[in-house]
Amino acid sequence: MTRFFVHVIYLISVVAAVAALLNPSAAAAADRVYLSRADIEAGLVGKPVMSKNLSSGSMSHWEFRSDGTVEASRTGLGRASGTWVIHDDGRMCVTMVNRTVCRYWFRTATSLANADTMSPDAPTVAEVRFD
């Protein structure tokens, strides 16, 4: 009986590894831990971060202040100011230059990042690191 369970566990791990190789984004999405409003306030507000947009490769510096304002700068494009708000579902919205963009923040084993939705297959928009 014990040998049977060892084989079953081995088979399950092989299937999971093959699935991760065939669909790495789904495997990565499964490792996401979405942040709550309180997590975002404690983890991002008042801490300067460097953000890398994964589709364009552009880097920008952000500072979310406790008074609800935000400052951002990007080399070659200058600086911009705006406001931020976090909704009860953990969605953070930033209004800047007459445009509002909302993202859901999450942690993985190796990064802090955001996506447009909480869907398991939502593409990662940006990854951040603390300055």
Side-chain angles (χ1 to χ4, degrees):
M1 191 68 119
T2 305
R3 193 165 201 216
F4 173 77
F5 286 117
V6 169
H7 288 293
V8 169
I9 291 170
Y10 174 76
L11 181 60
I12 290 170
S13 65
V14 168
V15 169
V18 169
L21 289 172
L22 294 176
N23 191 358
S25 63
D31 295 336
R32 292 179 180 180
V33 176
Y34 281 90
L35 304 182
S36 69
R37 178 184 195 158
D39 293 334
I40 296 167
E41 289 172 344
L44 285 174
V45 176
K47 299 175 177 118
V49 296
M50 185 62 73
S51 174
K52 180 180 182 182
N53 182 295
L54 298 185
S55 67
S56 69
S58 66
M59 301 289 290
S60 54
H61 178 268
W62 294 79
E63 188 171 336
F64 299 97
R65 297 189 177 123
S66 60
D67 65 358
T69 62
V70 60
E71 293 286 329
S73 62
R74 194 162 92 188
T75 305
L77 295 179
R79 301 180 61 84
S81 299
T83 59
W84 62 267
V85 64
I86 304 171
H87 298 275
D88 290 338
D89 66 352
R91 180 174 38 113
M92 179 185 231
C93 297
V94 174
T95 301
M96 192 176 281
V97 191
N98 297 320
R99 182 176 155 209
T100 300
V101 175
C102 300
R103 301 275 192 274
Y104 291 91
W105 289 90
F106 60 89
R107 287 192 195 292
T108 67
T110 59
S111 69
L112 179 62
N114 59 43
D116 290 330
T117 71
M118 291 179 86
S119 172
D121 60 347
T124 300
V125 174
E127 292 181 338
V128 301
R129 64 177 169 78
F130 294 96
D131 281 350

